[in-house]
Amino acid sequence: GDSVTQMEGPVTLSEEAFLTINCTYTATGYPSLFWYVQYPGEGLQLLLKATKADDKGSNKGFEATYRKETTSFHLEKGSVQVSDSAVYFCALSDPGSARQLTFGSGTQLTVLP
Amino acid sequence: DSGVTQTPKHLITATGQRVTLRCSPRSGDLSVYWYQQSLDQGLQFLIQYYNGEERAKGNILERFSAQQFPDLHSELNLSSLELGDSVLYFCASSVQGGGRTDTQYFGPGTRLTVL
């Protein structure tokens, strides 16, 4: 079946540091890929998405590129802020089979001032 | 604000009871999904409805059921509640209910506590 593997957390960074959260996937078909963010006590917010190979999703300074050859969708941000502290989830949706999202385990990010 | 609403935000009940969680999708969205989030299992898909019809089923227990009404709001019914049902329940909605560009938007969740 489909699966998503994220780098283990928690991740702690200083403000203005560079962020990378690794995400790799396994899918039977050709999935769409997503990053969602969950702030404390809140629901999941869509951060960015990419629907085909080599697409780059971007939002609020975050970027991720759909790499079909390495089955990866790593999240990056050049300079993190304290307000970026949250849990980040990588997810896939496989249009060829199931329509639901399959999520990674989440990565807790804490940014210190 | 995603435009997806869920009520109630918190629900406290006792073992063996039955509860109903409610979700209203974004305006124009035809599909509703239910997920649960727990510390040990993470985010797990439960069930999907599209325009009133069940479309996909995931790891939903037989004690749980859902439906989508003609106005497109959805309800998740949980019965014979157990302590282990004390998790977060999320609803999401999307326009098409599938497809490469279809995107799910999540509500704020309902936290269920079973005592």
Side-chain angles (χ1 to χ4, degrees), chain A residues 14-35:
Chain A
S14 297
E15 205 164 23
E16 300 184 2
F18 184 85
L19 169 71
T20 300
I21 300 178
N22 290 337
C23 170
T24 58
Y25 67 89
T26 302
T28 54
Y30 184 179
S32 296
L33 302 174
F34 305 84
W35 278 99

Side-chain angles (χ1 to χ4, degrees), chain A residues 1 5 8-9 13 15 24 26 33 37-38 41 46 52 54 66 73 84 88 90 98 103 108:
Chain A
T5 303
E8 292 289 326
L13 296 173
E15 205 164 23
T24 58
T26 302
L33 302 174
V37 58
Q38 186 176 29
L46 177 68
K52 60 184 188 295
D54 300 325
Y66 189 140
F73 193 53
D84 294 327
Y88 292 81
C90 184
F103 286 91
Q108 170 78 56

Side-chain angles (χ1 to χ4, degrees), chain A residues 6 8 18 25 29-30 36 52 61-63 65-66 77 79 84 93 99 108 113:
Chain A
Q6 281 183 242
E8 292 289 326
F18 184 85
Y25 67 89
Y30 184 179
Y36 284 85
K52 60 184 188 295
F62 291 90
E63 293 183 339
T65 301
Y66 189 140
K77 186 174 186 184
S79 175
D84 294 327
S93 172
R99 296 168 181 83
Q108 170 78 56

Side-chain angles (χ1 to χ4, degrees), chain A residues 43-63:
Chain A
L44 283 82
Q45 297 179 24
L46 177 68
L47 182 58
L48 53 83
K49 70 177 184 181
T51 60
K52 60 184 188 295
D54 300 325
D55 268 1
K56 178 186 281 190
S58 61
N59 185 25
K60 299 180 182 179
F62 291 90
E63 293 183 339

Side-chain angles (χ1 to χ4, degrees), chain A residues 30 32 36 49 51 99 101, chain B residues 35 37 97 100-101 103-104:
Chain A
Y30 184 179
S32 296
Y36 284 85
K49 70 177 184 181
T51 60
R99 296 168 181 83
L101 289 166
Chain B
Y35 295 83
Q37 184 179 34
R100 181 159 299 283
T101 59
T103 300
Q104 295 180 35

Side-chain angles (χ1 to χ4, degrees), chain A residues 99, chain B residues 4 25-33 48-51 55 68 92-99 101-106:
Chain A
R99 296 168 181 83
Chain B
V4 179
R26 295 186 320 156
S27 176
D29 284 0
L30 296 178
S31 191
V32 169
Y33 308 75
Q48 178 201 7
Y49 280 81
Y50 177 79
N51 205 20
R55 180 167 270 193
Q68 186 179 29
S93 73
S94 72
V95 174
Q96 302 167 355
T101 59
D102 200 41
T103 300
Q104 295 180 35
Y105 294 88
F106 283 75

